[in-house]
Amino acid sequence: MLVCDDHVVVRAGLLALLGSAPDIEVVGEAGTGEEALALATKLTPDVVLMDLQLGDGIDGVEATRRITGLSPAPHVLVLTTYDTDADITRAIEAGATGYLLKAERPEELFAAIHAASRGRTTLSPPVASRVMAHMRAPHPTLTDRERDILGQLSRGLGNREIARALFISEATVKTHLGRIYDKLGVETRAGAVAVAKERRLLP
C-alpha cells in the first residue's frame, strides 16, 4: 500500500504503525497529491491511504479522483480528521472506497485497509451516521435566486462578480450565500458547489 499525508511526523507514525502489522506491506510514501499520483502510477499499490488536506497543490479529493481513474486503479482509503458533510460527499464522489477518521484505533485501521484491498467500503461510525442522515434528509428547496447564485458560484465567480452579473448588491449575494450554505449543510463555496452537483441543484 501507499501512504499519503503532508505532515512528516504523522506519516512517520503511520509507517511505524503499519510496519507492526505482519500482513500489510507499505511500498511507498507521499507528502503531496502529485507525489501520490506519480507513485500510484509507478508502484500500482492495492490501497492508497489518503489524507484530505495536503497543503499546496492538488488536495486529497482531487488526488483520489485521479488515482481511481488509473488502470489498474488502486482502492483509496481516506484517513483524515475532517468529517463535514461536504468533505465526505466530495471524497466518496471522487471514488474513495472508505472514509476513516484519525481517531480510530489501530486495529480498526488495519481492518479497513484489508477491506479496502478487497473493494469493500469501511466508514468510521460518525461518518456512517452522517451519510445515513444525509440520505434520509429531504433535499433542500432552493429559491430561483439561490439557484442563480449557485450557478454563478459554480463558474468560480466572486461575490462582486456575481452581484454584477445578477444586478444585485454584494450584501444581497452574501445573504443568499448564507442561506444556501445552511440549506446544503456546508461552510465553504467549494462545499456548496460539490453538494449542489451531487444533488443536481445547479441550473
Side-chain angles (χ1 to χ4, degrees):
M1 72 171 301
L2 173 68
V3 175
C4 179
D5 196 297
D6 65 330
H7 290 99
V8 178
V9 173
V10 172
R11 204 163 67 240
L14 282 171
L15 293 173
L17 179 64
L18 295 171
S20 71
D23 46 2
I24 294 175
E25 180 188 4
V26 178
V27 296
E29 57 176 295
T32 67
E34 287 84 356
E35 281 181 13
L37 179 60
L39 287 173
T41 304
K42 177 182 176 184
L43 303 172
T44 63
D46 293 326
V47 178
V48 177
L49 197 60
M50 178 69 68
D51 191 16
L52 288 185
Q53 305 296 329
L54 296 174
D56 296 333
I58 62 174
D59 66 3
V61 170
E62 182 57 30
T64 295
R65 182 175 289 108
R66 296 186 193 184
I67 288 170
T68 54
L70 296 174
S71 183
H75 295 293
V76 176
L77 177 61
V78 170
L79 182 67
T80 183
T81 54
Y82 300 90
D83 66 344
T84 66
D85 289 354
D87 283 324
I88 296 166
T89 298
R90 289 177 65 227
I92 292 174
E93 277 194 335
T97 298
Y99 196 111
L100 278 197
L101 299 179
K102 287 182 177 176
E104 292 294 346
R105 294 171 302 158
E107 49 269 35
E108 298 293 340
L109 174 59
F110 298 157
I113 290 169
H114 287 303
S117 71
R118 295 189 291 271
R120 294 181 184 169
T121 299
T122 303
L123 302 173
S124 284
V127 174
S129 297
R130 293 186 82 113
V131 169
M132 291 302 292
H134 180 68
M135 290 177 70
R136 289 195 195 106
H139 285 341
T141 303
L142 298 179
T143 66
D144 289 341
R145 177 58 84 195
E146 287 166 354
R147 285 176 181 273
D148 289 342
I149 288 175
L150 205 46
Q152 302 294 331
L153 206 62
S154 70
R155 294 171 53 205
L157 300 186
N159 290 2
R160 183 175 298 176
E161 295 165 308
I162 293 173
R164 282 187 192 142
L166 300 179
F167 303 103
I168 55 179
S169 70
E170 274 190 74
T172 301
V173 172
K174 287 179 182 175
T175 299
H176 282 303
L177 280 178
R179 290 179 186 150
I180 290 169
Y181 289 178
D182 286 342
K183 288 182 179 182
L184 300 185
V186 300
E187 298 173 2
T188 65
R189 302 167 84 87
V193 172
V195 172
K197 284 180 179 175
E198 176 217 353
R199 300 186 184 180
R200 297 182 174 83
L201 297 175
L202 290 170

